[in-house]
Amino acid sequence: LIAFFQPKLLAGRRVLITAGPTSEKIDPVRVITNRSSGKMGYAIARAAREAGAEVILVSGPTALAAPYGVRRIDVESAVDMHAAVMAEAGRSDVFISVAAVADWRVANASDSKLKKRADGRPPSLEFEPNPDILAEVAALPSGPWCVGFAAETENLEEHAQAKRVRKGVPLLVGNLAQRAMNADDTELVLFDETGHHAMPPADKIIAARRLVEQIARRLPVRPS
Ligand code: CTP
Ligand code: CA
């Protein structure tokens, strides 16, 4: 009840979030994908909504239900996710890119099911790069304030800070992949132009609320 009367940190803001993996077609019955449960992105969508934002969640395939009050746009491939995000980015104040986007799609995907060959030889797949959704949104002339994510397996500090600069985003959230993958809790480290700030380990929804608070605090004041 007390929370009801407190000013909401993201009231009047439009927050666009990507979550989950993308799924890249090999043929009508086979895909190649990234490992992501979607839990962190969905928790952030919920926390942003609780903070008063209008939330649009562009989601790859997950087993999760859309958080209350959040508009979900379902996509499968990185190309679909890119199109959905670019359609919404211009009207959004914040973009939080949590999705584990496949870096490559299958260039020689087949419209009919690949059959096993008599000689037993497996098919060979060719790949082409997917668009970098976050880097593209970050480069928009008057685009939203961007937050990236990076799950690394080693040298988190070095990789995450370099990635933040390369993507051109003010805030990048790092975690160790082996720690967070499909878990209900996580340990996040924030990377910004001043350095890195470790957050305490917490349940993903608690970590999401703290992150939303950090984002709200850093957001530029809206031009009136
Ligand atoms: N990202 C994206 N589009 C892509 C690849 C990544 O929007 N095609 C976003 C992710 O959602 C994340 C951030 O970029 O917020 C970092 O993703 P990551 O995979 O860690 O970075 P990459 O630049 O792809 O580098 P690498 O996979 O080589 O570590
Ligand atoms: Ca990647």
Side-chain angles (χ1 to χ4, degrees), residues 199-213:
M199 296 176 81
D203 188 88
K204 281 181 179 170
I205 184 63
I206 305 290
R209 289 188 184 123
R210 290 189 186 129
L211 175 62
V212 160
E213 219 176 284

Side-chain angles (χ1 to χ4, degrees), residues 83-99:
V85 166
M86 295 320 286
E88 298 288 339
R91 291 182 288 138
S92 302
D93 300 297
V94 182
F95 175 51
I96 312 176
S97 184
V98 197

Side-chain angles (χ1 to χ4, degrees), residues 16 18 22 56 58-59 71 73-91 95 101 105 130-134 136-137 140:
L16 177 63
T18 63
T22 67
I56 297 103
V58 178
S59 176
R71 178 156 73 88
I73 301 171
D74 291 314
V75 297
E76 296 210 332
S77 68
V79 165
D80 296 344
M81 183 174 278
H82 174 258
V85 166
M86 295 320 286
E88 298 288 339
R91 291 182 288 138
F95 175 51
V101 183
R105 64 176 173 274
N130 272 325
D132 189 324
I133 304 169
L134 175 60
E136 217 175 291
V137 173
L140 289 174

Side-chain angles (χ1 to χ4, degrees), residues 30-205:
R30 301 180 180 95
V31 299
I32 191 160
T33 189
N34 278 14
R35 285 185 67 192
S36 168
S37 65
K39 284 175 186 168
M40 194 65 227
Y42 277 58
I44 293 167
R46 177 177 157 192
R49 171 69 197 157
E50 286 171 357
E54 177 192 351
V55 180
I56 297 103
L57 178 62
V58 178
S59 176
T62 71
L64 306 172
Y68 177 79
V70 166
R71 178 156 73 88
R72 184 172 74 181
I73 301 171
D74 291 314
V75 297
E76 296 210 332
S77 68
V79 165
D80 296 344
M81 183 174 278
H82 174 258
V85 166
M86 295 320 286
E88 298 288 339
R91 291 182 288 138
S92 302
D93 300 297
V94 182
F95 175 51
I96 312 176
S97 184
V98 197
V101 183
D103 292 319
W104 311 283
R105 64 176 173 274
V106 181
N108 58 341
S110 170
D111 287 330
S112 53
K113 184 183 171 185
L114 300 176
K115 300 301 288 178
K116 283 186 284 191
R117 283 196 294 229
D119 64 8
R121 272 184 39 219
S124 55
L125 299 179
E126 285 155 30
F127 291 92
E128 59 189 331
N130 272 325
D132 189 324
I133 304 169
L134 175 60
E136 217 175 291
V137 173
L140 289 174
S142 52
W145 200 81
C146 291
V147 182
F149 263 74
E152 304 289 346
T153 55
E154 60 249 313
N155 302 336
L156 177 63
E157 267 169 47
E158 194 185 316
H159 286 316
Q161 196 57 274
K163 199 167 277 184
R164 186 187 75 77
V165 173
R166 184 154 37 85
K167 303 260 178 184
V169 299
L171 182 64
L172 189 119
V173 184
N175 61 36
L176 285 171
Q178 43 298 40
R179 170 82 170 75
M181 201 67 81
N182 197 38
D184 287 320
D185 64 338
T186 189
E187 223 172 313
L188 305 178
V189 186
L190 306 189
F191 295 85
D192 61 17
E193 76 290 347
T194 70
H196 65 278
H197 316 275
M199 296 176 81
D203 188 88
K204 281 181 179 170
I205 184 63

